[in-house]
Amino acid sequence: MGARPDTPRLLHVGLVQMRCSPDPAQNLDRALALTREAARQGAEVICLPELFLSPYFCQTEDYAAFRLAEPVPGPTTAAFETLAAELDVAVIVSLFERRAAGLYHNTAAVIDGPRGYVGKYRKMHIPDDPRYYEKFYFTPGDLGFKAFRTDRASLGVLVCWDQWYPEAARLTALQGADVLFYPTAIGWHPEERASHGRQQHEAWELAQRAHAVANGCFVVAVNRTGFEPTPGTDPDAGEGIQFWGQSFVAAPDGQVIARAPVDEEATLVVRLDLNQMEELRTGWPFLRDRRIDAYDRLTQRFLDAD
Amino acid sequence: MGARPDTPRLLHVGLVQMRCSPDPAQNLDRALALTREAARQGAEVICLPELFLSPYFCQTEDYAAFRLAEPVPGPTTAAFETLAAELDVAVIVSLFERRAAGLYHNTAAVIDGPRGYVGKYRKMHIPDDPRYYEKFYFTPGDLGFKAFRTDRASLGVLVCWDQWYPEAARLTALQGADVLFYPTAIGWHPEERASHGRQQHEAWELAQRAHAVANGCFVVAVNRTGFEPTPGTDPDAGEGIQFWGQSFVAAPDGQVIARAPVDEEATLVVRLDLNQMEELRTGWPFLRDRRIDAYDRLTQRFLDAD
């Protein structure tokens, strides 16, 4: 393996795994309080879960849910700007963005301490599956893949369904990202948990660990936790999503170095030595050998034989 | 999750995990015998390890090793054509290809039962690390990524170092491959095994399991086993490569459904239901949502900020 430089290049990341209540004001207060708590534990970059201001409204297609959206930057980023400046931390804030009438995105804002709001990433890959009706709500992102340079590190920002796409991880890492952050809202359909639950969670985790390996960088996934019933169903029927928590950090060798529990809120603060990337990327020089002359057909949907 | 069609679409794959002796004729005889053994156990597609005809000569840069190369198709593919026709099996045969004076490739030939030799894949990603001096020997492949259609299944063929590249897996899967085969020669430096061995093996396995998940297909990795000393070193010094065996099959959900031992030769025959791909790809429709409009920069080396 490659050699690690003698002086560590430390970054402390904070993962806020939250339960999200029906009350946005309460969720905002809680997110601000947990951000403060993570900073108190030494976190320098703090990531919140996907769309933490509300229950995961995409379980149904409901026009009323569009009222939850707000501009980005807007009132919520303003609240985090104040806090981030006070604490001198960077924060990744996942929001339901209203861009114009009838035009909405699933967006992550990046706030960098005293610099304030520095930009946003709009979720590029939008899922649409039973209880995850995101294509109804979110226009696919049009800002491309993005890494945000801060004084402490270069922060790659992606969102949830993006985590299944090696292309997204690669294009973000190629911009120099030290860490790929994935605010997430993923869980089990309770009726599938016994038959598929372990495999689904394992696939989710290993897909992201593989991004760390392929790109020689860190990966931070921040999920919500708790059970959220499907609106309009009999509460006793148990229909809904059991968010699986288990927010985690993977090192550039793919090892999981921290993992939150399934069913509890958690604020993890994890110490990273970014110089581990130097060691891994010289030991496993995958970036050196990419066949960029032979990748052009990745822009095709499928390579049909006829 | 998606529903699996009622009628299974079965494919039995055979993995021949071999120890490779200094005698190419002996290795050929043994590979033919183990191919026959795999077919006897029901295998329909059989994959041999990378460059199984000889010790892994890339441990040093030695001009004499070029004498091991042969044309593809050539004498070894001819021997496998005879056997494959007799047994009615497909075989993936990894060879050191001599294309012209001074022009050599790391090539996998595909032989399809009575159809005989149907084509070859030339390793696209060539490593070069201590004891894996492949850039000295092998010109990077110029045939692109390939899937080979047979009556039984579409066979994606890649080789070893390719397994670290999501681009390679994707471009092969997009051609309709049901299974990605990786003939491999990977092992530990004995002096690193205690400190890094578990993590290295785990990264290797999870990178390929992630290809299965991202592409909703099967992955078959076939490694060699045994310790091979570095030529020219004191045999008592223990310098060399401890090939880590552990050939495996991953299902489209990323689960490892078969794994060979570390230190022993093994002939695994594994029953796959290719319809599991239908189930997984409808349940996790990643191919549906790829942002092909935003992937063009994957053909760049790095996305420098300035």
Side-chain angles (χ1 to χ4, degrees):
Chain A
M1 300 301 298
R4 197 182 306 191
D6 291 332
T7 311
R9 187 159 72 94
L10 295 182
L11 180 72
H12 295 81
V13 292
L15 293 70
V16 175
Q17 176 170 301
M18 279 179 63
R19 205 178 290 274
C20 301
S21 84
D23 179 351
Q26 186 183 58
N27 292 323
L28 177 59
D29 286 350
R30 185 140 181 77
L32 291 165
L34 292 169
T35 298
R36 185 179 290 280
E37 169 58 23
R40 196 190 58 76
Q41 293 179 36
E44 300 161 277
V45 181
I46 297 161
C47 183
L48 295 156
E50 187 182 13
L51 302 170
F52 63 89
L53 283 183
S54 68
Y56 181 69
F57 52 85
C58 312
Q59 283 206 51
T60 59
E61 299 195 355
D62 179 4
Y63 289 109
F66 287 104
R67 288 199 294 264
L68 295 166
E70 63 178 290
V72 177
T76 302
T77 56
F80 277 95
E81 282 186 295
T82 304
L83 186 68
E86 176 198 330
L87 302 172
D88 191 17
V89 294
V91 192
I92 296 163
V93 184
S94 166
L95 294 165
F96 184 15
E97 179 187 7
R98 183 189 182 283
R99 184 175 181 182
L103 189 55
Y104 298 81
H105 296 284
N106 186 328
T107 297
V110 179
I111 292 159
D112 184 24
R115 291 173 65 209
Y117 169 84
V118 294
K120 62 189 164 190
Y121 165 76
R122 290 182 175 137
K123 187 175 183 176
M124 291 287 283
H125 299 95
I126 306 294
D128 198 278
D129 305 296
R131 292 179 212 170
Y132 295 87
Y133 298 110
E134 294 200 15
K135 289 193 195 296
F136 174 71
Y137 293 103
F138 309 125
T139 298
D142 59 349
L143 300 176
F145 300 98
K146 299 183 82 163
F148 298 86
R149 283 164 191 266
T150 72
D151 288 344
R152 294 181 175 98
S154 176
L155 312 178
V157 178
L158 294 151
V159 178
C160 203
W161 191 240
D162 292 323
Q163 59 211 170
W164 300 99
Y165 292 85
E167 294 93 340
R170 180 72 93 200
L171 285 165
T172 306
L174 288 181
Q175 292 172 60
D178 298 304
V179 187
L180 305 180
F181 289 92
Y182 290 94
T184 299
I186 193 169
W188 294 294
H189 289 201
E191 65 275 20
E192 284 186 358
R193 184 168 174 181
S195 59
H196 293 85
R198 185 186 61 77
Q199 294 90 328
Q200 289 172 352
H201 170 261
E202 202 170 302
W204 174 77
E205 192 175 271
L206 78 87
Q208 293 170 89
R209 294 171 64 190
H211 300 330
V213 171
N215 297 291
C217 65
F218 290 87
V219 168
V220 171
V222 182
N223 195 15
R224 66 171 69 195
T225 187
F227 176 74
E228 298 183 11
T230 305
T233 60
D234 176 355
D236 294 333
E239 287 180 44
I241 301 178
Q242 176 69 52
F243 291 98
W244 67 42
Q246 300 182 74
S247 303
F248 70 93
V249 179
D253 63 356
Q255 294 290 306
V256 174
I257 55 176
R259 189 190 288 113
V262 175
D263 287 322
E264 294 161 42
E265 292 193 313
T267 303
L268 298 184
V269 177
V270 185
R271 175 186 183 275
L272 315 181
D273 178 1
L274 300 183
N275 278 338
Q276 199 181 344
M277 294 173 59
E278 295 284 332
E279 182 184 13
L280 260 287
R281 286 193 184 175
T282 46
W284 289 342
F286 305 137
L287 295 185
R288 182 190 65 187
D289 296 333
R290 292 177 68 240
R291 288 297 303 273
I292 56 174
D293 60 314
Y295 293 164
D296 54 300
R297 296 204 294 172
L298 289 167
T299 58
Q300 294 192 34
R301 182 66 65 207
F302 200 70
L303 301 169
D304 306 275
D306 39 37
Chain B
M1 300 300 296
R4 195 181 309 191
D6 291 333
T7 311
R9 186 160 72 93
L10 296 181
L11 179 72
H12 294 81
V13 292
L15 293 70
V16 174
Q17 176 170 302
M18 280 178 64
R19 205 178 288 274
C20 301
S21 84
D23 180 350
Q26 186 183 59
N27 292 323
L28 177 59
D29 286 350
R30 185 138 180 80
L32 290 165
L34 292 170
T35 298
R36 186 179 289 280
E37 169 59 22
R40 195 191 61 74
Q41 292 178 37
E44 300 161 278
V45 181
I46 298 161
C47 183
L48 295 157
E50 187 182 13
L51 302 170
F52 63 89
L53 283 183
S54 68
Y56 181 70
F57 52 85
C58 311
Q59 284 205 52
T60 60
E61 299 195 353
D62 179 2
Y63 289 109
F66 287 103
R67 289 199 293 264
L68 295 167
E70 63 178 292
V72 178
T76 302
T77 56
F80 277 96
E81 282 185 295
T82 304
L83 185 68
E86 176 199 330
L87 302 173
D88 191 17
V89 294
V91 192
I92 296 163
V93 184
S94 167
L95 294 165
F96 184 15
E97 179 187 7
R98 183 189 183 281
R99 185 175 180 181
L103 189 54
Y104 298 81
H105 296 283
N106 186 328
T107 297
V110 180
I111 292 160
D112 185 24
R115 291 172 66 208
Y117 170 82
V118 294
K120 62 189 165 190
Y121 165 77
R122 288 181 176 138
K123 186 173 183 176
M124 291 287 282
H125 299 95
I126 306 294
D128 200 277
D129 306 296
R131 291 180 213 170
Y132 295 86
Y133 298 109
E134 295 201 14
K135 289 194 195 294
F136 173 71
Y137 293 103
F138 309 125
T139 299
D142 59 349
L143 300 175
F145 300 98
K146 299 183 80 164
F148 297 87
R149 283 166 190 264
T150 71
D151 288 344
R152 294 183 175 96
S154 177
L155 313 178
V157 178
L158 294 151
V159 177
C160 202
W161 192 240
D162 292 324
Q163 60 212 171
W164 300 99
Y165 292 85
E167 294 93 340
R170 180 72 94 200
L171 285 165
T172 306
L174 289 181
Q175 294 174 58
D178 298 304
V179 187
L180 305 180
F181 289 92
Y182 291 94
T184 299
I186 193 169
W188 294 294
H189 290 200
E191 65 275 21
E192 284 186 358
R193 184 168 175 180
S195 59
H196 292 85
R198 186 186 61 78
Q199 295 88 327
Q200 289 173 351
H201 170 261
E202 203 170 301
W204 174 76
E205 192 176 270
L206 78 86
Q208 293 171 87
R209 293 171 65 191
H211 299 330
V213 171
N215 296 291
C217 65
F218 290 87
V219 167
V220 171
V222 182
N223 195 15
R224 64 171 69 196
T225 186
F227 176 73
E228 298 183 11
T230 305
T233 60
D234 176 355
D236 294 333
E239 287 181 44
I241 302 179
Q242 176 70 51
F243 292 96
W244 66 44
Q246 302 183 73
S247 303
F248 71 93
V249 180
D253 63 357
Q255 293 291 306
V256 174
I257 56 176
R259 189 190 288 113
V262 175
D263 288 323
E264 295 162 41
E265 292 194 313
T267 304
L268 297 185
V269 177
V270 185
R271 174 185 184 275
L272 315 181
D273 178 1
L274 300 182
N275 278 338
Q276 199 181 344
M277 295 172 58
E278 294 285 332
E279 182 183 12
L280 259 290
R281 286 193 184 175
T282 46
W284 288 342
F286 305 137
L287 296 185
R288 181 190 66 188
D289 296 333
R290 293 177 68 240
R291 288 297 303 273
I292 56 174
D293 60 314
Y295 292 164
D296 55 300
R297 295 204 295 171
L298 289 167
T299 58
Q300 293 191 36
R301 182 66 64 207
F302 200 70
L303 301 168
D304 306 275
D306 38 37

